[in-house]
Amino acid sequence: MGTEGPKAAFATIRPPGHHCGEDTPSGFCFVNNVAIGAAHAHLQFGVKRVIIFDIDLHHGNGTQAIAWAINAETNRNKLMQEATRHLNPEGGIAQSISSTQGGTQGLQIFYASLHDILSFPCEDGDPTLVRDASVSIAGAHGQYIENIHLQPYASHEEFWNTLYPYYRTLFSKALNFIKSDPQDTNVPIFISCGFDASELEYESMSRHGRKVPVGFYYRFTKDAKAFAAEFSNGKVVSVLEGGYSDRTLMAGGMAHLAGLVEDGEGTLRGPEGWWSDINLDLLEKACKKRKGRQSVGKPIHPSK
């Protein structure tokens, strides 16, 4: 998180974490890895603000709940300090509060999620979970939360021409967060990188038809990296979330890593030949398990 060291990192951690709340494990998530990373950046490196982009198929309800609680506490302390300074501008109580807080600003988090509103944790239609997964708030009560729902598409052309520009609006929302305190540009970006929205994932996982092409993981990563370089401190830390079939993890991982390490503008869809059916078949043969059943996702259909 400091000025030295690599600009990008991908932590291939399992189990995933974004469904886990402060003290509520859920959805195979027992520790919220990305929230811990954000807290570490704040406590260890003095980072005051972080951005979290969650691109897992499922809404990161645990991360959003943690972000909401942290933002609420930071905003509450800020209001208390402003009120006491107004009541006693020469110091006194205000100075005492500032000392109690260590004279530093609490952490503030922008959390943005692109997910399937029809899947877990919203699949049963629980009104609280559905509302939480649809929140859009920018600044009020110190909260910066943005949710966008994945939509079906008939072809890759429709996805790239119509849907991806809409999904990219998460970056404009993040920019508004950056501009809320333009003096603070030391704002690392975290990606909760789940690959389970991939077209290659199990049919059972993508049964609601809300998916993304493999190239999405390349392009979104490139855009996040470019955003970090232009508007914040250039640091991008990605943390693995979901993704279950072998083909999903191999193809999504290649696309994501290509976006992380490639310099320059790149292409819209990335090096698609890398995750062609032929190459994925070869990789599966090279990495297949000695025992047990292989977890094989769906083949890519180049005609789409």
Side-chain angles (χ1 to χ4, degrees):
M1 293 296 104
T3 57
E4 303 299 326
K7 291 290 187 180
F10 181 30
T12 53
I13 298 172
R14 280 292 166 86
H18 71 153
H19 294 306
C20 182
E22 183 177 356
D23 56 1
T24 52
S26 176
F28 306 111
C29 301
F30 301 97
V31 175
N32 196 305
N33 304 307
V34 75
I36 290 174
H40 180 74
H42 173 61
L43 297 172
Q44 188 69 25
F45 296 98
V47 168
K48 298 177 181 178
R49 299 189 298 165
V50 302
I51 291 171
I52 300 174
F53 293 119
D54 191 332
I55 55 175
D56 191 273
L57 174 69
H58 309 101
H59 179 239
N61 55 315
T63 307
Q64 180 171 307
I66 290 172
W68 190 283
I70 289 173
N71 289 343
E73 182 178 0
T74 296
N75 188 60
R76 184 162 51 248
N77 290 334
K78 178 183 176 182
L79 293 176
M80 288 177 60
Q81 292 182 36
E82 290 176 351
T84 51
R85 277 197 298 268
H86 177 72
L87 292 173
N88 190 358
E90 296 182 358
I93 297 176
Q95 185 175 357
S96 175
I97 290 176
S98 179
S99 299
T100 302
Q101 297 299 323
T104 60
Q105 175 184 317
L107 179 62
Q108 191 169 43
I109 299 174
F110 170 85
Y111 174 76
S113 176
L114 173 64
H115 58 267
D116 176 16
I117 191 65
L118 301 178
S119 290
F120 180 88
C122 303
E123 194 160 26
D124 294 335
D126 181 284
T128 299
L129 293 172
V130 171
R131 281 197 298 267
D132 287 348
S134 307
V135 167
S136 175
I137 184 170
H141 307 290
Q143 300 296 340
Y144 288 87
I145 308 289
E146 193 67 31
N147 287 284
I148 291 182
H149 301 158
L150 288 166
Q151 301 297 323
Y153 53 91
S155 67
H156 283 184
E157 285 66 31
E158 181 184 0
F159 176 87
W160 291 112
N161 295 333
T162 304
L163 292 182
Y164 188 67
Y166 170 53
Y167 298 159
R168 282 194 81 256
T169 59
L170 291 178
F171 293 108
S172 62
K173 301 291 185 177
L175 182 57
N176 290 337
F177 174 70
I178 292 286
K179 290 180 176 178
S180 67
D181 185 0
Q183 301 302 315
D184 176 26
T185 58
N186 186 27
V187 185
I189 290 177
F190 289 84
I191 302 177
S192 270
C193 192
F195 298 120
D196 42 4
S198 169
E199 290 178 335
L200 304 185
E201 189 56 279
Y202 293 126
E203 288 280 4
S204 59
M205 185 64 65
S206 54
R207 58 190 173 275
H208 299 295
R210 270 60 175 175
K211 311 172 186 179
V212 297
V214 175
F216 164 81
Y217 299 107
Y218 165 85
R219 188 65 257 169
F220 188 91
T221 306
K222 290 282 291 182
D223 289 344
K225 188 177 173 184
F227 179 93
E230 183 174 358
F231 300 112
S232 58
N233 67 358
K235 300 285 187 177
V236 177
V237 178
S238 179
V239 179
L240 180 62
E241 298 286 357
Y244 302 97
S245 78
D246 288 346
R247 296 178 87 91
T248 291
L249 288 168
M250 287 189 298
M254 280 192 288
H256 181 53
L257 286 171
L260 276 180
V261 303
E262 182 186 75
D263 293 325
E265 185 176 346
T267 61
L268 180 62
R269 307 182 187 195
E272 292 181 297
W274 290 14
W275 46 86
S276 66
D277 285 343
I278 293 175
N279 282 345
L280 292 179
D281 287 341
L282 292 172
L283 281 169
E284 281 186 320
K285 289 179 181 178
C287 303
K288 66 181 180 181
K289 302 172 184 176
R290 294 181 179 179
K291 295 181 181 180
R293 184 179 176 184
Q294 274 187 274
S295 56
V296 180
K298 296 182 296 179
I300 296 176
H301 301 289
S303 60
K304 286 188 177 181

